[in-house]
Amino acid sequence: MSANSLIEWTDNTWNPVRGCSKVSPGCAHCYAEAFAERFRGVPGNAFEQGFDVRLAPWKLLEPLRWTSPKRVFVNSMSDLFHDDVPDQFIVATFEVMAAANWHTYQILTKRPERMQKMLKNDLEFAAGLPHIWWGVTVENKKHGLPRLDYLQKCDVAMRFLSCEPLLEDLGNVWLDGINWVIVGGESGPGARPVRREWIVSIRDQCKSAHVPFYFKQWGGFPKGKLGCELDGREYKAFPPTQDLKAPSLVRRRQIEGELHKRLWAVGILEQAA
């Protein structure tokens, strides 16, 4: 799960952590869990332990080996701020992002309380970096809108929302300080329906607030059956990104070697998978 991604709003996925646990209705039909559990008990498979939370420290340095700039969805198969992920490992992940700064990293969490707390101390070094995008899932009012409140209190350079799966009308959404909004219906077996007026409401609020709006899909099953057109057109807006080239191979190997040495010294690269 680190090659070119099928997720429409990113280029690559990067999973130094695998596995998660449910925290809200948005998790009910988790695609990552369904995928991982198919391989529970299969010897040698990356998901031999299903969707149990596991660290994959050997994947930490991967972005340094990608030669062209990518949008990178961090932990598409987990939540970096899950309670079972040690602070030290989270910091190491952001150290890699800070070093491999020719990529754009998309961090999406349903646990913004921990994210906000860490940004005030251990992750302060990463808060202002424009190539790191901090996002939360906003699937409904009860669970999603409080996450938005936490995100807006985080002193970071770029904030985004993933309203996917959108499960109800969110009403008036305060978009102050938000730089991007993704909206999508749920896909897969048992997908809960999304209504046009819910999506249009968010689209129109984004337009009024001058926030880029990305409509990913109507959802349903199979996933692509209903497409991604809204009122006869596609909405695929992105916020501006940096225009940087990867350093030379020699320089990237130097950066990787320095990071490897530091992470080995604190025991990160010795942690079992």
Side-chain angles (χ1 to χ4, degrees):
M1 302 296 291
S2 60
N4 293 339
S5 175
L6 296 178
I7 299 171
E8 292 84 348
W9 44 262
T10 198
D11 299 319
N12 277 32
T13 56
W14 174 42
N15 286 283
V17 179
R18 299 165 178 168
C20 199
S21 55
K22 292 179 170 62
V23 293
S24 71
C27 304
H29 299 150
C30 177
Y31 74 90
E33 179 187 40
F35 177 88
E37 288 297 333
R38 290 168 54 197
F39 302 100
R40 181 179 287 278
V42 178
N45 190 276
F47 295 98
E48 183 178 353
Q49 294 181 341
F51 208 47
D52 299 348
V53 176
R54 302 174 68 208
L55 306 182
W58 63 91
K59 297 184 73 66
L60 275 173
L61 300 177
E62 272 189 345
L64 290 157
R65 300 163 194 156
W66 298 334
T67 57
S68 59
K70 306 285 187 183
R71 293 189 192 98
V72 182
F73 180 17
V74 181
N75 283 342
S76 63
M77 299 296 292
S78 184
D79 187 328
L80 186 56
F81 292 98
H82 192 283
D83 290 344
D84 292 342
V85 182
D87 284 0
Q88 189 181 44
F89 196 87
I90 295 173
V91 172
T93 306
F94 279 95
E95 287 179 345
V96 174
M97 293 184 230
N101 61 3
W102 53 95
H103 303 303
T104 297
Y105 299 92
Q106 300 157 316
I107 319 296
L108 186 60
T109 185
K110 290 186 176 74
R111 296 165 172 85
E113 303 93 335
R114 188 179 186 193
M115 181 175 75
Q116 183 190 38
K117 182 179 179 181
M118 292 192 70
L119 276 164
K120 293 179 179 178
N121 43 70
D122 291 340
L123 294 181
E124 189 175 5
F125 72 93
L129 299 178
H131 69 288
I132 298 179
W133 297 1
W134 308 77
V136 296
T137 301
V138 182
E139 75 271 44
N140 62 13
K141 293 179 180 178
K142 180 178 178 180
H143 302 88
L145 292 183
R147 296 190 196 116
L148 168 58
D149 187 51
Y150 273 104
L151 179 63
Q152 287 169 321
K153 292 175 182 176
C154 292
D155 186 14
V156 294
M158 196 284 187
R159 306 174 186 86
F160 74 98
L161 308 181
S162 175
C163 303
E164 184 188 12
L166 184 61
L167 300 178
E168 67 177 1
D169 179 17
L170 297 180
N172 293 324
V173 181
W174 186 42
L175 294 174
D176 186 49
I178 301 302
N179 305 100
W180 189 34
V181 174
I182 305 164
V183 174
E186 189 169 53
S187 61
R192 291 161 287 184
V194 63
R195 297 178 61 173
R196 174 186 172 276
E197 57 264 33
W198 305 347
I199 302 166
V200 168
S201 174
I202 299 173
R203 179 198 65 186
D204 292 349
Q205 291 182 69
C206 285
K207 182 178 180 180
S208 296
H210 305 288
V211 175
F213 172 78
Y214 191 107
F215 179 48
K216 179 184 171 186
Q217 63 185 25
W218 286 98
F221 184 75
K223 174 183 175 180
K225 182 178 180 180
L226 299 178
C228 59
E229 286 193 0
L230 176 62
D231 294 340
R233 60 165 288 190
E234 293 185 1
Y235 291 85
K236 303 292 184 183
F238 283 92
T241 56
Q242 58 179 6
D243 186 17
L244 295 178
K245 294 182 179 180
S248 67
L249 176 61
V250 171
R251 177 56 183 151
R252 284 189 286 111
R253 284 180 174 174
Q254 181 184 9
I255 296 170
E256 182 175 351
E258 293 169 353
L259 268 174
H260 188 282
K261 183 178 180 180
R262 183 160 73 250
L263 297 181
W264 183 272
V266 297
I268 292 294
L269 295 182
E270 293 180 320
Q271 294 189 41

